[in-house]
Amino acid sequence: MFITKHDDGYLYIVNQYDHSVQAGEVARHWGNDQFARPEHFESLCLAVQKHDIGWIESDTTVLFNDDNGQPVPFLNVNLLQHVDFYGKGYEQVKEEDPYAGLLVGMHWIGLYTSRFGYDPTFTFKIPADLAPLIDEKIISLQKEWVDLKMNLWSKSGPRSQFENNLWKNYEIVQFMDRLSQYVSMHKQDTTNELIMGPVRQSVDSKGCMITVKGQGNGSVVIDPFPFDSEVETTVVLRKIPDIRYESHNAVYKALEEAEVERVTWKFIPPQQGQNVKTIANESVIS
């Protein structure tokens, strides 16, 4: 769950899988004169849509922190649960679409490896006693991908081109995840600015950083703009009082009874001649 506070006495809660689905809907608009629509596009969109499908269990049951009497936000989830949720999601998507599953697996393992070096500003917090287990998981999964990649490549075209396309699609998954986090964890009046990326505009280009800035009215300027048109999207959220709940049942009941709100956002390009100035760079893990 994404859980944020906005100084109005409520916890704003977006289910992990709702965020995932919303990101997938927006991803289908990827591509324009600046940003080439990638190969394996349908698999890419499926990967974005279902990259957090393994979190449905935690969304449904609601993880509870007995120490503070509140639901557990995704960044504070126990590492073993984190591995379990993502592992189940990876296997599920891989069975449906092996290429999409590979991207979901890369997204998962990237959270423990600074996004494979793309973003050295973060990695999921790994306790020292669990580091050997995580290292083993990182290695074993990548060994599994050797056969998976060979089957997907099928010796069709240069192997290097297959890898380049795969990693470009990984970059898009990361951007779409973080873009969805932006609208899932802000209110419409935000003017916060974040820098995301890098994302290549074509397979052979150098990765570029993308500036994301709220306009204070539910619109978000993205520069450079990667979509085929302005994109309207909806975030599904619930609000519950920001209090200490006496039990898991109490917070579960509060969420069950909370009104489901649908918040509309719009992703727009910069106006002609307008450049969004870079002022911040922040990473979120999901």
Side-chain angles (χ1 to χ4, degrees):
M1 287 182 167
F2 296 159
I3 304 175
T4 51
K5 302 182 181 185
H6 298 286
D7 299 324
D8 60 358
Y10 286 91
L11 301 177
Y12 287 60
I13 295 176
V14 175
N15 282 352
Q16 202 91 352
Y17 188 54
D18 288 339
H19 134 77
S20 190
V21 171
Q22 180 266 327
E25 292 172 351
V26 177
R28 293 194 171 277
H29 292 274
W30 192 276
N32 56 32
D33 291 342
Q34 285 184 286
F35 287 82
R37 178 163 287 194
E39 294 185 14
H40 301 280
F41 184 68
E42 288 300 319
S43 295
L44 165 65
C45 292
L46 182 67
V48 176
Q49 175 190 339
K50 296 191 173 183
H51 73 271
D52 279 348
I53 197 169
W55 291 79
I56 289 179
E57 177 184 345
S58 69
D59 287 341
T60 303
T61 60
V62 186
L63 302 179
F64 184 69
N65 185 333
D66 290 305
D67 292 334
N68 66 11
Q70 292 197 335
V72 178
F74 72 106
L75 287 177
N76 295 339
V77 169
N78 174 282
L79 181 58
L80 295 179
Q81 290 178 308
H82 194 271
V83 170
D84 181 55
F85 296 151
Y86 266 119
K88 290 176 179 177
Y90 162 67
E91 294 294 341
Q92 183 174 339
V93 179
K94 185 178 66 170
E95 183 174 346
E96 179 179 355
D97 181 323
Y99 192 96
L102 176 57
L103 286 171
V104 171
M106 293 166 68
H107 172 72
W108 168 28
I109 296 304
L111 300 180
Y112 311 139
T113 60
S114 297
R115 290 192 171 103
F116 292 100
Y118 275 91
D119 187 352
T121 64
F122 85 86
T123 193
F124 198 88
K125 294 179 181 178
I126 301 173
D129 61 323
L130 294 179
L133 181 149
I134 298 301
D135 286 343
E136 180 181 350
K137 177 62 67 176
I138 292 169
I139 293 169
S140 65
L141 212 58
Q142 290 185 94
K143 287 180 178 179
E144 177 182 313
W145 295 343
V146 172
D147 291 337
L148 182 55
K149 287 182 177 182
M150 281 297 295
N151 290 333
L152 290 168
W153 171 46
S154 299
K155 299 180 181 178
S156 175
R159 175 59 186 266
S160 60
Q161 194 74 357
F162 170 84
E163 291 286 348
N164 280 338
N165 278 297
L166 176 65
W167 284 101
K168 178 176 181 289
N169 285 339
Y170 170 79
E171 294 163 12
I172 296 173
V173 172
Q174 302 317 294
F175 174 77
M176 292 308 312
D177 178 38
R178 294 188 62 197
L179 182 63
S180 176
Q181 289 170 1
Y182 183 94
V183 294
S184 295
M185 301 176 73
H186 285 90
K187 293 177 69 177
Q188 290 170 304
D189 62 359
T190 185
T191 57
N192 195 18
E193 181 176 302
L194 299 181
I195 311 302
M196 303 178 185
V199 184
R200 279 173 285 171
Q201 294 172 298
S202 67
V203 172
D204 299 320
S205 67
K206 184 178 180 180
C208 67
M209 303 305 290
I210 300 177
T211 301
V212 175
K213 181 175 174 57
Q215 301 301 292
N217 59 1
S219 294
V220 180
V221 170
I222 303 176
D223 185 17
F225 190 73
F227 303 121
D228 55 17
S229 62
E230 293 184 354
V231 182
E232 190 170 283
T233 187
T234 301
V235 171
V236 179
L237 65 82
R238 290 170 292 172
K239 293 186 289 191
I240 61 174
D242 182 11
I243 61 174
R244 182 183 181 90
Y245 292 87
E246 62 183 15
S247 66
H248 174 270
N249 286 339
V251 76
Y252 183 86
K253 182 179 179 182
L255 279 165
E256 282 286 293
E257 295 177 350
E259 179 183 355
V260 176
E261 301 182 27
R262 300 181 184 278
V263 182
T264 301
W265 294 79
K266 182 178 285 188
F267 298 127
I268 62 176
Q271 298 299 313
Q272 186 174 4
Q274 172 190 2
N275 290 316
V276 179
K277 185 180 179 181
T278 299
I279 60 172
N281 188 357
E282 178 178 319
S283 291
V284 179
I285 304 172
S286 169

mmCIF file of all heavy atoms in Angstrom, residues 67-92:
data_model
loop_
_atom_site.group_PDB
_atom_site.id
_atom_site.type_symbol
_atom_site.label_atom_id
_atom_site.label_comp_id
_atom_site.label_asym_id
_atom_site.label_seq_id
_atom_site.Cartn_x
_atom_site.Cartn_y
_atom_site.Cartn_z
ATOM 1 N N ASP A 67 3.179 -1.848 16.583
ATOM 2 C CA ASP A 67 3.900 -0.835 17.362
ATOM 3 C C ASP A 67 3.265 0.543 17.251
ATOM 4 O O ASP A 67 3.183 1.278 18.241
ATOM 5 C CB ASP A 67 5.369 -0.769 16.915
ATOM 6 C CG ASP A 67 6.138 -2.025 17.283
ATOM 7 O OD1 ASP A 67 5.740 -2.697 18.256
ATOM 8 O OD2 ASP A 67 7.132 -2.332 16.597
ATOM 9 N N ASN A 68 2.822 0.908 16.043
ATOM 10 C CA ASN A 68 2.226 2.245 15.901
ATOM 11 C C ASN A 68 0.725 2.219 15.651
ATOM 12 O O ASN A 68 0.095 3.266 15.517
ATOM 13 C CB ASN A 68 2.930 3.052 14.803
ATOM 14 C CG ASN A 68 2.730 2.463 13.413
ATOM 15 O OD1 ASN A 68 1.913 1.573 13.195
ATOM 16 N ND2 ASN A 68 3.471 2.974 12.435
ATOM 17 N N GLY A 69 0.158 1.008 15.549
ATOM 18 C CA GLY A 69 -1.282 0.903 15.382
ATOM 19 C C GLY A 69 -1.792 1.399 14.043
ATOM 20 O O GLY A 69 -2.923 1.895 13.950
ATOM 21 N N GLN A 70 -0.983 1.243 12.982
ATOM 22 C CA GLN A 70 -1.398 1.705 11.659
ATOM 23 C C GLN A 70 -1.028 0.662 10.594
ATOM 24 O O GLN A 70 -0.189 -0.213 10.835
ATOM 25 C CB GLN A 70 -0.735 3.045 11.330
ATOM 26 C CG GLN A 70 -1.237 4.197 12.195
ATOM 27 C CD GLN A 70 -0.912 5.552 11.607
ATOM 28 O OE1 GLN A 70 0.030 5.720 10.844
ATOM 29 N NE2 GLN A 70 -1.716 6.553 11.971
ATOM 30 N N PRO A 71 -1.660 0.771 9.411
ATOM 31 C CA PRO A 71 -1.272 -0.134 8.322
ATOM 32 C C PRO A 71 0.168 0.123 7.895
ATOM 33 O O PRO A 71 0.696 1.223 8.080
ATOM 34 C CB PRO A 71 -2.267 0.206 7.212
ATOM 35 C CG PRO A 71 -2.757 1.576 7.525
ATOM 36 C CD PRO A 71 -2.740 1.685 9.017
ATOM 37 N N VAL A 72 0.786 -0.893 7.321
ATOM 38 C CA VAL A 72 2.205 -0.820 6.959
ATOM 39 C C VAL A 72 2.351 -0.271 5.540
ATOM 40 O O VAL A 72 1.824 -0.851 4.590
ATOM 41 C CB VAL A 72 2.859 -2.213 7.042
ATOM 42 C CG1 VAL A 72 4.333 -2.152 6.617
ATOM 43 C CG2 VAL A 72 2.729 -2.781 8.453
ATOM 44 N N PRO A 73 3.081 0.839 5.356
ATOM 45 C CA PRO A 73 3.341 1.337 4.003
ATOM 46 C C PRO A 73 4.345 0.435 3.291
ATOM 47 O O PRO A 73 5.144 -0.259 3.929
ATOM 48 C CB PRO A 73 3.918 2.734 4.248
ATOM 49 C CG PRO A 73 4.469 2.687 5.630
ATOM 50 C CD PRO A 73 3.627 1.724 6.405
ATOM 51 N N PHE A 74 4.322 0.467 1.971
ATOM 52 C CA PHE A 74 5.095 -0.501 1.191
ATOM 53 C C PHE A 74 6.590 -0.434 1.460
ATOM 54 O O PHE A 74 7.283 -1.442 1.405
ATOM 55 C CB PHE A 74 4.802 -0.334 -0.298
ATOM 56 C CG PHE A 74 5.379 0.891 -0.940
ATOM 57 C CD1 PHE A 74 6.478 0.799 -1.778
ATOM 58 C CD2 PHE A 74 4.815 2.143 -0.741
ATOM 59 C CE1 PHE A 74 7.004 1.923 -2.390
ATOM 60 C CE2 PHE A 74 5.336 3.272 -1.352
ATOM 61 C CZ PHE A 74 6.439 3.164 -2.173
ATOM 62 N N LEU A 75 7.111 0.754 1.778
ATOM 63 C CA LEU A 75 8.550 0.861 2.015
ATOM 64 C C LEU A 75 8.980 0.204 3.318
ATOM 65 O O LEU A 75 10.166 -0.050 3.518
ATOM 66 C CB LEU A 75 8.976 2.333 2.021
ATOM 67 C CG LEU A 75 9.009 3.034 0.664
ATOM 68 C CD1 LEU A 75 9.384 4.500 0.840
ATOM 69 C CD2 LEU A 75 9.993 2.356 -0.272
ATOM 70 N N ASN A 76 8.028 -0.066 4.209
ATOM 71 C CA ASN A 76 8.353 -0.667 5.505
ATOM 72 C C ASN A 76 7.985 -2.134 5.597
ATOM 73 O O ASN A 76 8.018 -2.719 6.683
ATOM 74 C CB ASN A 76 7.643 0.107 6.627
ATOM 75 C CG ASN A 76 8.147 1.528 6.756
ATOM 76 O OD1 ASN A 76 9.246 1.857 6.321
ATOM 77 N ND2 ASN A 76 7.330 2.389 7.341
ATOM 78 N N VAL A 77 7.610 -2.725 4.480
ATOM 79 C CA VAL A 77 7.240 -4.141 4.482
ATOM 80 C C VAL A 77 8.465 -4.997 4.806
ATOM 81 O O VAL A 77 9.575 -4.728 4.337
ATOM 82 C CB VAL A 77 6.653 -4.548 3.113
ATOM 83 C CG1 VAL A 77 6.511 -6.063 2.999
ATOM 84 C CG2 VAL A 77 5.299 -3.877 2.916
ATOM 85 N N ASN A 78 8.253 -6.022 5.619
ATOM 86 C CA ASN A 78 9.307 -6.974 5.963
ATOM 87 C C ASN A 78 9.947 -7.520 4.689
ATOM 88 O O ASN A 78 9.261 -7.857 3.730
ATOM 89 C CB ASN A 78 8.678 -8.104 6.796
ATOM 90 C CG ASN A 78 9.640 -9.220 7.098
ATOM 91 O OD1 ASN A 78 9.909 -10.062 6.257
ATOM 92 N ND2 ASN A 78 10.152 -9.225 8.312
ATOM 93 N N LEU A 79 11.278 -7.598 4.677
ATOM 94 C CA LEU A 79 11.995 -7.984 3.460
ATOM 95 C C LEU A 79 11.589 -9.376 2.973
ATOM 96 O O LEU A 79 11.447 -9.598 1.765
ATOM 97 C CB LEU A 79 13.508 -7.931 3.698
ATOM 98 C CG LEU A 79 14.387 -8.296 2.501
ATOM 99 C CD1 LEU A 79 14.109 -7.390 1.303
ATOM 100 C CD2 LEU A 79 15.858 -8.229 2.876
ATOM 101 N N LEU A 80 11.388 -10.317 3.878
ATOM 102 C CA LEU A 80 10.991 -11.665 3.465
ATOM 103 C C LEU A 80 9.607 -11.652 2.818
ATOM 104 O O LEU A 80 9.356 -12.384 1.855
ATOM 105 C CB LEU A 80 11.017 -12.624 4.659
ATOM 106 C CG LEU A 80 12.404 -12.879 5.266
ATOM 107 C CD1 LEU A 80 12.295 -13.829 6.453
ATOM 108 C CD2 LEU A 80 13.364 -13.451 4.219
ATOM 109 N N GLN A 81 8.712 -10.803 3.326
ATOM 110 C CA GLN A 81 7.411 -10.655 2.683
ATOM 111 C C GLN A 81 7.579 -9.996 1.316
ATOM 112 O O GLN A 81 6.907 -10.377 0.352
ATOM 113 C CB GLN A 81 6.485 -9.806 3.557
ATOM 114 C CG GLN A 81 6.029 -10.479 4.836
ATOM 115 C CD GLN A 81 5.153 -9.558 5.671
ATOM 116 O OE1 GLN A 81 5.540 -8.419 5.955
ATOM 117 N NE2 GLN A 81 3.990 -10.035 6.066
ATOM 118 N N HIS A 82 8.452 -9.021 1.236
ATOM 119 C CA HIS A 82 8.739 -8.338 -0.029
ATOM 120 C C HIS A 82 9.175 -9.339 -1.090
ATOM 121 O O HIS A 82 8.676 -9.328 -2.229
ATOM 122 C CB HIS A 82 9.840 -7.298 0.218
ATOM 123 C CG HIS A 82 10.041 -6.297 -0.870
ATOM 124 N ND1 HIS A 82 10.907 -6.519 -1.923
ATOM 125 C CD2 HIS A 82 9.501 -5.068 -1.079
ATOM 126 C CE1 HIS A 82 10.899 -5.461 -2.726
ATOM 127 N NE2 HIS A 82 10.045 -4.561 -2.244
ATOM 128 N N VAL A 83 10.091 -10.230 -0.731
ATOM 129 C CA VAL A 83 10.573 -11.263 -1.647
ATOM 130 C C VAL A 83 9.432 -12.196 -2.036
ATOM 131 O O VAL A 83 9.269 -12.565 -3.214
ATOM 132 C CB VAL A 83 11.728 -12.058 -1.006
ATOM 133 C CG1 VAL A 83 12.076 -13.294 -1.834
ATOM 134 C CG2 VAL A 83 12.959 -11.167 -0.851
ATOM 135 N N ASP A 84 8.609 -12.568 -1.057
ATOM 136 C CA ASP A 84 7.503 -13.483 -1.314
ATOM 137 C C ASP A 84 6.480 -12.874 -2.261
ATOM 138 O O ASP A 84 6.056 -13.509 -3.232
ATOM 139 C CB ASP A 84 6.836 -13.855 0.014
ATOM 140 C CG ASP A 84 5.684 -14.827 -0.169
ATOM 141 O OD1 ASP A 84 5.895 -15.894 -0.772
ATOM 142 O OD2 ASP A 84 4.563 -14.515 0.285
ATOM 143 N N PHE A 85 6.073 -11.639 -2.003
ATOM 144 C CA PHE A 85 5.063 -10.992 -2.839
ATOM 145 C C PHE A 85 5.555 -10.850 -4.278
ATOM 146 O O PHE A 85 4.844 -11.194 -5.232
ATOM 147 C CB PHE A 85 4.702 -9.610 -2.282
ATOM 148 C CG PHE A 85 4.047 -9.634 -0.932
ATOM 149 C CD1 PHE A 85 4.195 -8.568 -0.054
ATOM 150 C CD2 PHE A 85 3.300 -10.725 -0.514
ATOM 151 C CE1 PHE A 85 3.597 -8.573 1.190
ATOM 152 C CE2 PHE A 85 2.693 -10.752 0.733
ATOM 153 C CZ PHE A 85 2.844 -9.669 1.589
ATOM 154 N N TYR A 86 6.774 -10.328 -4.439
ATOM 155 C CA TYR A 86 7.284 -10.133 -5.788
ATOM 156 C C TYR A 86 7.548 -11.456 -6.494
ATOM 157 O O TYR A 86 7.339 -11.581 -7.707
ATOM 158 C CB TYR A 86 8.559 -9.281 -5.772
ATOM 159 C CG TYR A 86 8.275 -7.818 -5.987
ATOM 160 C CD1 TYR A 86 8.594 -6.874 -5.018
ATOM 161 C CD2 TYR A 86 7.681 -7.366 -7.161
ATOM 162 C CE1 TYR A 86 8.326 -5.528 -5.201
ATOM 163 C CE2 TYR A 86 7.413 -6.028 -7.358
ATOM 164 C CZ TYR A 86 7.736 -5.107 -6.373
ATOM 165 O OH TYR A 86 7.454 -3.779 -6.569
ATOM 166 N N GLY A 87 7.997 -12.445 -5.735
ATOM 167 C CA GLY A 87 8.254 -13.755 -6.334
ATOM 168 C C GLY A 87 6.982 -14.382 -6.901
ATOM 169 O O GLY A 87 6.979 -14.928 -8.016
ATOM 170 N N LYS A 88 5.886 -14.288 -6.164
ATOM 171 C CA LYS A 88 4.612 -14.830 -6.643
ATOM 172 C C LYS A 88 4.140 -14.077 -7.885
ATOM 173 O O LYS A 88 3.646 -14.684 -8.846
ATOM 174 C CB LYS A 88 3.561 -14.740 -5.542
ATOM 175 C CG LYS A 88 3.791 -15.699 -4.384
ATOM 176 C CD LYS A 88 2.760 -15.488 -3.280
ATOM 177 C CE LYS A 88 2.981 -16.461 -2.126
ATOM 178 N NZ LYS A 88 2.036 -16.218 -1.002
ATOM 179 N N GLY A 89 4.269 -12.761 -7.854
ATOM 180 C CA GLY A 89 3.859 -11.973 -9.009
ATOM 181 C C GLY A 89 4.685 -12.291 -10.242
ATOM 182 O O GLY A 89 4.151 -12.410 -11.356
ATOM 183 N N TYR A 90 5.985 -12.417 -10.057
ATOM 184 C CA TYR A 90 6.888 -12.751 -11.160
ATOM 185 C C TYR A 90 6.483 -14.064 -11.814
ATOM 186 O O TYR A 90 6.366 -14.160 -13.044
ATOM 187 C CB TYR A 90 8.320 -12.821 -10.628
ATOM 188 C CG TYR A 90 9.304 -13.557 -11.500
ATOM 189 C CD1 TYR A 90 9.687 -13.060 -12.739
ATOM 190 C CD2 TYR A 90 9.867 -14.762 -11.075
ATOM 191 C CE1 TYR A 90 10.596 -13.732 -13.548
ATOM 192 C CE2 TYR A 90 10.774 -15.443 -11.862
ATOM 193 C CZ TYR A 90 11.136 -14.933 -13.091
ATOM 194 O OH TYR A 90 12.031 -15.608 -13.885
ATOM 195 N N GLU A 91 6.245 -15.098 -11.007
ATOM 196 C CA GLU A 91 5.878 -16.405 -11.547
ATOM 197 C C GLU A 91 4.546 -16.343 -12.277
ATOM 198 O O GLU A 91 4.371 -16.964 -13.335
ATOM 199 C CB GLU A 91 5.816 -17.443 -10.419
ATOM 200 C CG GLU A 91 7.154 -17.754 -9.765
ATOM 201 C CD GLU A 91 8.127 -18.444 -10.709
ATOM 202 O OE1 GLU A 91 7.680 -19.006 -11.739
ATOM 203 O OE2 GLU A 91 9.337 -18.429 -10.425
ATOM 204 N N GLN A 92 3.597 -15.594 -11.747
ATOM 205 C CA GLN A 92 2.281 -15.489 -12.358
ATOM 206 C C GLN A 92 2.346 -14.811 -13.721
ATOM 207 O O GLN A 92 1.760 -15.288 -14.700
ATOM 208 C CB GLN A 92 1.336 -14.715 -11.436
ATOM 209 C CG GLN A 92 -0.096 -14.608 -11.960
ATOM 210 C CD GLN A 92 -1.027 -13.950 -10.953
ATOM 211 O OE1 GLN A 92 -0.755 -13.920 -9.757
ATOM 212 N NE2 GLN A 92 -2.130 -13.419 -11.444
#
